[in-house]
Amino acid sequence: NAGVTQTPKFQVLKTGQSMTLQCAQDMNHEYMSWYRQDPGMGLRLIHYSVGAGITDQGEVPNGYNVSRSTTEDFPLRLLSAAPSQTSVYFCASSYTSRAGGPIGELFFGEGSRLTVL
Amino acid sequence: TQLLEQSPQFLSIQEGENLTVYCNSSSVFSSLQWYRQEPGEGPVLLVTVVTGGEVKKLKRLTFQFGDARKDSSLHITAAQPGDTGLYLCAGDGRLTSGSRLTFGEGTQLTVNP
């Protein structure tokens, strides 16, 4: 029972570097999303997808890109890392409602802790 | 943007004490979820409340959804060290502003032996 798998778990970047956080789920969920978690700010939605080939912006999309070529994978790309992107990133998946959002339980990965120097 | 405010932000109590965590908003939600997150892990769903006034119990945890579906509370009876963690509420705003889940800031609970 893999569920939602995120890699890497830890990453240190220098300002201006790019990288991709990987997310894969094996539950055949249509809905996938990326959140960032910062102290005192809860979970903020970065980007989400309601199915392969469909992505949309969340609350804090600037500086991040996503793509959804398969149902299983939803990578998050940082194009030019900034210290403000230091955070813990969570990928989450769920079934999709008719309204195009998550329905029922969100299943989270274990998180990717990113530090940008 | 819908906002969910949780209080208190931090709570440190002794084993055996009771506590209540609140999740408040000015917006109406179609449902509200409570998650618990332990260090180094992702949040895990505890319960979903859907109907205004609904009460759900999970062992020593009691969850209530406000009559107007704008607020919720989590009450823990006789807290144990294993209850330590970050508690997050999340509201489904599909009734008013789309179908995204909005998370509160979280309540960090520490139960001391």
Side-chain angles (χ1 to χ4, degrees):
Chain A
N1 292 335
V4 178
T5 303
Q6 290 184 233
T7 57
K9 288 192 174 182
F10 301 93
Q11 183 71 50
V12 178
L13 291 178
K14 294 182 179 179
T15 297
Q17 287 184 318
S18 62
M19 78 156 299
T20 299
L21 299 178
Q22 302 290 345
C23 176
Q25 53 91 10
D26 62 359
M27 296 172 282
N28 203 31
H29 286 161
E30 295 170 332
Y31 182 89
M32 295 187 74
S33 55
W34 277 101
Y35 289 87
R36 60 177 289 172
Q37 185 173 39
D38 302 291
M41 301 189 75
L43 289 162
R44 292 184 291 169
L45 183 64
I46 304 171
H47 285 285
Y48 65 98
S49 168
V50 297
I54 306 170
T55 63
D56 207 345
Q57 296 182 349
E59 181 185 356
V60 289
N62 292 340
Y64 307 95
N65 275 358
V66 292
S67 60
R68 184 92 179 269
S69 57
T70 68
T71 299
E72 294 78 19
D73 300 298
F74 191 44
L76 178 72
R77 297 183 184 85
L78 283 71
L79 304 175
S80 179
S84 61
Q85 293 178 306
T86 293
S87 186
V88 182
Y89 292 86
F90 287 96
C91 179
S93 71
S94 176
Y95 294 106
T96 300
S97 70
R98 291 182 184 175
I103 188 169
E105 179 178 1
L106 267 182
F107 292 84
F108 286 85
E110 293 186 334
S112 298
R113 183 176 295 275
L114 175 67
T115 301
V116 183
L117 303 175
Chain B
T1 303
Q2 295 176 304
L3 294 176
L4 269 172
E5 295 183 348
Q6 284 188 241
S7 61
Q9 193 173 356
F10 298 96
L11 192 54
S12 181
I13 61 172
Q14 294 299 122
E15 182 176 0
E17 292 183 1
N18 301 333
L19 67 112
T20 302
V21 175
Y22 299 93
C23 177
N24 295 305
S25 176
S26 59
S27 301
V28 176
F29 295 102
S30 62
S31 65
L32 197 136
Q33 299 175 343
W34 283 93
Y35 290 80
R36 184 169 76 194
Q37 183 180 14
E38 299 189 12
E41 299 182 5
V44 176
L45 182 69
L46 294 173
V47 77
T48 301
V49 285
V50 179
T51 306
E54 181 178 4
V55 177
K56 279 192 175 179
K57 292 190 175 184
L58 188 65
K59 295 184 181 179
R60 293 174 295 98
L61 279 61
T62 301
F63 304 85
Q64 184 162 7
F65 202 12
D67 291 341
R69 290 186 294 174
K70 293 183 179 181
D71 53 83
S72 181
S73 64
L74 158 60
H75 182 79
I76 301 179
T77 303
Q80 299 178 0
D83 295 326
T84 293
L86 179 68
Y87 289 81
L88 294 157
C89 63
D92 184 338
R94 72 186 66 199
L95 290 178
T96 54
S97 64
S99 55
R100 301 173 187 174
L101 270 180
T102 300
F103 281 85
E105 313 98 321
T107 295
Q108 181 63 53
L109 171 65
T110 302
V111 182
N112 303 298

